[in-house]
Amino acid sequence: MDEKIQKLYQECIQELENIGIKITNNIDIGQIEIKLSKRNNKRYGACKQLEPDKTTRYIEKTKRRKIVKYWKYNKHIIEISPWVMELQDKVIKNTIIHELIHCMPNCNDHGEIFKKYAKYINQNLGYDISRVRK
Ligand SMILES: [Zn+2]
């Protein structure tokens, strides 16, 4: 199963590079690890952001409090839920690419930049990446 994840992950990386989105050896992205999630919850996947670039610190204000965030992280761990691996390759790759977008600077949420990448990828590679997945 781990082999399958790695294989599909490499395919995603290659497809993104083909349309000009460089994932590996990109100092704006840093290091990415992908693995099967230990939990089999409802989520398709998740992306943990580690090693924040301290120079990109900003404060997000909500009604009640201020949250420290960073635009850029240097390490990312993508986890894919085991049940997703039973689905079609295209769906698994859709999930992987969704999480890969979260690895890019300014894409920790599903804001404008995330949407821009998603739209570009959908148009050029025929995926269906959206903010939320059904
Ligand atoms: Zn997301």
Side-chain angles (χ1 to χ4, degrees), residues 43 45-47 98-99 101-102 107-110 114 129-133:
R43 306 181 67 166
C47 187
H98 179 113
E99 301 309 335
I101 300 176
H102 282 312
C107 289
N108 208 6
D109 54 13
H110 299 111
F114 180 97
I129 293 152
S130 55
R131 203 169 59 76
V132 284
R133 287 149 300 181

mmCIF file of all heavy atoms in Angstrom, residues 43 45-47 98-99 101-102 107-110 114 129-133, ligand 1:
data_model
loop_
_atom_site.group_PDB
_atom_site.id
_atom_site.type_symbol
_atom_site.label_atom_id
_atom_site.label_comp_id
_atom_site.label_asym_id
_atom_site.label_seq_id
_atom_site.Cartn_x
_atom_site.Cartn_y
_atom_site.Cartn_z
ATOM 1 N N ARG A 43 -11.889 12.193 6.778
ATOM 2 C CA ARG A 43 -11.100 13.059 5.904
ATOM 3 C C ARG A 43 -10.384 12.249 4.832
ATOM 4 O O ARG A 43 -9.939 11.147 5.078
ATOM 5 C CB ARG A 43 -10.028 13.787 6.727
ATOM 6 C CG ARG A 43 -10.575 14.532 7.889
ATOM 7 C CD ARG A 43 -9.456 15.226 8.617
ATOM 8 N NE ARG A 43 -8.887 16.287 7.788
ATOM 9 C CZ ARG A 43 -8.081 17.225 8.267
ATOM 10 N NH1 ARG A 43 -7.720 17.211 9.524
ATOM 11 N NH2 ARG A 43 -7.618 18.166 7.477
ATOM 12 N N GLY A 45 -7.612 13.399 3.328
ATOM 13 C CA GLY A 45 -6.195 13.549 3.635
ATOM 14 C C GLY A 45 -5.966 14.763 4.508
ATOM 15 O O GLY A 45 -6.892 15.520 4.789
ATOM 16 N N ALA A 46 -4.724 14.914 4.939
ATOM 17 C CA ALA A 46 -4.378 16.064 5.757
ATOM 18 C C ALA A 46 -2.940 16.438 5.454
ATOM 19 O O ALA A 46 -2.172 15.622 4.947
ATOM 20 C CB ALA A 46 -4.533 15.729 7.240
ATOM 21 N N CYS A 47 -2.607 17.675 5.753
ATOM 22 C CA CYS A 47 -1.233 18.114 5.534
ATOM 23 C C CYS A 47 -0.762 18.863 6.765
ATOM 24 O O CYS A 47 -1.297 19.898 7.109
ATOM 25 C CB CYS A 47 -1.151 19.007 4.299
ATOM 26 S SG CYS A 47 0.532 19.413 3.845
ATOM 27 N N HIS A 98 -4.431 17.956 -3.885
ATOM 28 C CA HIS A 98 -5.055 18.909 -2.959
ATOM 29 C C HIS A 98 -4.089 19.198 -1.797
ATOM 30 O O HIS A 98 -3.834 20.349 -1.462
ATOM 31 C CB HIS A 98 -6.378 18.332 -2.425
ATOM 32 C CG HIS A 98 -7.078 19.220 -1.440
ATOM 33 N ND1 HIS A 98 -8.288 19.824 -1.695
ATOM 34 C CD2 HIS A 98 -6.729 19.626 -0.186
ATOM 35 C CE1 HIS A 98 -8.645 20.554 -0.647
ATOM 36 N NE2 HIS A 98 -7.708 20.444 0.291
ATOM 37 N N GLU A 99 -3.535 18.142 -1.230
ATOM 38 C CA GLU A 99 -2.623 18.320 -0.094
ATOM 39 C C GLU A 99 -1.305 18.957 -0.534
ATOM 40 O O GLU A 99 -0.714 19.729 0.217
ATOM 41 C CB GLU A 99 -2.374 16.984 0.612
ATOM 42 C CG GLU A 99 -3.628 16.291 1.162
ATOM 43 C CD GLU A 99 -4.519 17.178 2.033
ATOM 44 O OE1 GLU A 99 -4.013 18.153 2.618
ATOM 45 O OE2 GLU A 99 -5.727 16.898 2.109
ATOM 46 N N ILE A 101 -0.987 21.243 -2.772
ATOM 47 C CA ILE A 101 -1.199 22.698 -2.865
ATOM 48 C C ILE A 101 -1.003 23.332 -1.489
ATOM 49 O O ILE A 101 -0.423 24.398 -1.366
ATOM 50 C CB ILE A 101 -2.592 23.059 -3.437
ATOM 51 C CG1 ILE A 101 -2.770 22.477 -4.844
ATOM 52 C CG2 ILE A 101 -2.777 24.590 -3.475
ATOM 53 C CD1 ILE A 101 -4.168 22.706 -5.430
ATOM 54 N N HIS A 102 -1.445 22.621 -0.443
ATOM 55 C CA HIS A 102 -1.265 23.160 0.911
ATOM 56 C C HIS A 102 0.205 23.313 1.292
ATOM 57 O O HIS A 102 0.531 24.018 2.244
ATOM 58 C CB HIS A 102 -1.962 22.264 1.942
ATOM 59 C CG HIS A 102 -3.450 22.453 1.991
ATOM 60 N ND1 HIS A 102 -4.043 23.690 2.055
ATOM 61 C CD2 HIS A 102 -4.461 21.557 1.985
ATOM 62 C CE1 HIS A 102 -5.359 23.545 2.087
ATOM 63 N NE2 HIS A 102 -5.649 22.257 2.039
ATOM 64 N N CYS A 107 -0.597 28.916 1.156
ATOM 65 C CA CYS A 107 -1.687 27.995 0.812
ATOM 66 C C CYS A 107 -2.121 27.108 1.969
ATOM 67 O O CYS A 107 -2.672 26.030 1.761
ATOM 68 C CB CYS A 107 -1.273 27.122 -0.372
ATOM 69 S SG CYS A 107 -1.187 28.026 -1.906
ATOM 70 N N ASN A 108 -1.838 27.570 3.162
ATOM 71 C CA ASN A 108 -2.193 26.753 4.309
ATOM 72 C C ASN A 108 -3.710 26.632 4.478
ATOM 73 O O ASN A 108 -4.216 25.661 5.024
ATOM 74 C CB ASN A 108 -1.562 27.350 5.566
ATOM 75 C CG ASN A 108 -1.289 26.305 6.607
ATOM 76 O OD1 ASN A 108 -1.464 25.119 6.364
ATOM 77 N ND2 ASN A 108 -0.880 26.752 7.774
ATOM 78 N N ASP A 109 -4.406 27.616 3.965
ATOM 79 C CA ASP A 109 -5.865 27.566 4.053
ATOM 80 C C ASP A 109 -6.437 27.368 2.645
ATOM 81 O O ASP A 109 -5.703 27.042 1.726
ATOM 82 C CB ASP A 109 -6.400 28.865 4.674
ATOM 83 C CG ASP A 109 -5.880 30.087 3.915
ATOM 84 O OD1 ASP A 109 -5.338 29.929 2.795
ATOM 85 O OD2 ASP A 109 -6.019 31.198 4.452
ATOM 86 N N HIS A 110 -7.707 27.580 2.487
ATOM 87 C CA HIS A 110 -8.308 27.446 1.149
ATOM 88 C C HIS A 110 -8.625 28.819 0.573
ATOM 89 O O HIS A 110 -9.679 29.041 -0.012
ATOM 90 C CB HIS A 110 -9.568 26.576 1.208
ATOM 91 C CG HIS A 110 -9.305 25.185 1.681
ATOM 92 N ND1 HIS A 110 -9.729 24.710 2.885
ATOM 93 C CD2 HIS A 110 -8.623 24.173 1.103
ATOM 94 C CE1 HIS A 110 -9.331 23.457 3.033
ATOM 95 N NE2 HIS A 110 -8.648 23.108 1.966
ATOM 96 N N PHE A 114 -4.731 29.384 -2.890
ATOM 97 C CA PHE A 114 -5.088 27.969 -3.009
ATOM 98 C C PHE A 114 -6.040 27.783 -4.191
ATOM 99 O O PHE A 114 -5.860 26.920 -5.044
ATOM 100 C CB PHE A 114 -5.752 27.473 -1.713
ATOM 101 C CG PHE A 114 -6.140 26.014 -1.768
ATOM 102 C CD1 PHE A 114 -5.307 25.047 -1.229
ATOM 103 C CD2 PHE A 114 -7.332 25.614 -2.361
ATOM 104 C CE1 PHE A 114 -5.660 23.697 -1.296
ATOM 105 C CE2 PHE A 114 -7.689 24.277 -2.438
ATOM 106 C CZ PHE A 114 -6.848 23.316 -1.896
ATOM 107 N N ILE A 129 -10.161 19.558 -8.141
ATOM 108 C CA ILE A 129 -9.722 19.959 -6.818
ATOM 109 C C ILE A 129 -10.560 21.135 -6.348
ATOM 110 O O ILE A 129 -10.724 22.120 -7.047
ATOM 111 C CB ILE A 129 -8.225 20.305 -6.837
ATOM 112 C CG1 ILE A 129 -7.439 19.031 -7.115
ATOM 113 C CG2 ILE A 129 -7.783 20.937 -5.504
ATOM 114 C CD1 ILE A 129 -6.147 19.239 -7.796
ATOM 115 N N SER A 130 -11.094 20.980 -5.158
ATOM 116 C CA SER A 130 -11.922 22.049 -4.614
ATOM 117 C C SER A 130 -11.571 22.249 -3.162
ATOM 118 O O SER A 130 -10.727 21.543 -2.603
ATOM 119 C CB SER A 130 -13.395 21.686 -4.761
ATOM 120 O OG SER A 130 -13.629 20.441 -4.155
ATOM 121 N N ARG A 131 -12.208 23.200 -2.582
ATOM 122 C CA ARG A 131 -11.959 23.551 -1.192
ATOM 123 C C ARG A 131 -12.294 22.358 -0.275
ATOM 124 O O ARG A 131 -11.551 21.998 0.587
ATOM 125 C CB ARG A 131 -12.831 24.747 -0.839
ATOM 126 C CG ARG A 131 -12.350 25.564 0.312
ATOM 127 C CD ARG A 131 -13.150 26.859 0.363
ATOM 128 N NE ARG A 131 -14.574 26.570 0.516
ATOM 129 C CZ ARG A 131 -15.119 26.192 1.660
ATOM 130 N NH1 ARG A 131 -14.382 26.068 2.738
ATOM 131 N NH2 ARG A 131 -16.399 25.948 1.734
ATOM 132 N N VAL A 132 -13.448 21.819 -0.546
ATOM 133 C CA VAL A 132 -13.861 20.652 0.228
ATOM 134 C C VAL A 132 -14.137 19.511 -0.731
ATOM 135 O O VAL A 132 -14.398 19.734 -1.899
ATOM 136 C CB VAL A 132 -15.130 20.930 1.067
ATOM 137 C CG1 VAL A 132 -14.803 21.759 2.274
ATOM 138 C CG2 VAL A 132 -16.189 21.608 0.219
ATOM 139 N N ARG A 133 -14.054 18.325 -0.234
ATOM 140 C CA ARG A 133 -14.304 17.184 -1.112
ATOM 141 C C ARG A 133 -15.483 16.377 -0.605
ATOM 142 O O ARG A 133 -15.634 16.174 0.579
ATOM 143 C CB ARG A 133 -13.048 16.314 -1.186
ATOM 144 C CG ARG A 133 -11.968 16.979 -2.022
ATOM 145 C CD ARG A 133 -10.622 16.603 -1.527
ATOM 146 N NE ARG A 133 -10.459 17.035 -0.143
ATOM 147 C CZ ARG A 133 -9.356 16.840 0.528
ATOM 148 N NH1 ARG A 133 -8.361 16.226 0.002
ATOM 149 N NH2 ARG A 133 -9.253 17.270 1.761
HETATM 150 ZN ZN ZN B 1 -7.493 21.376 2.101
#
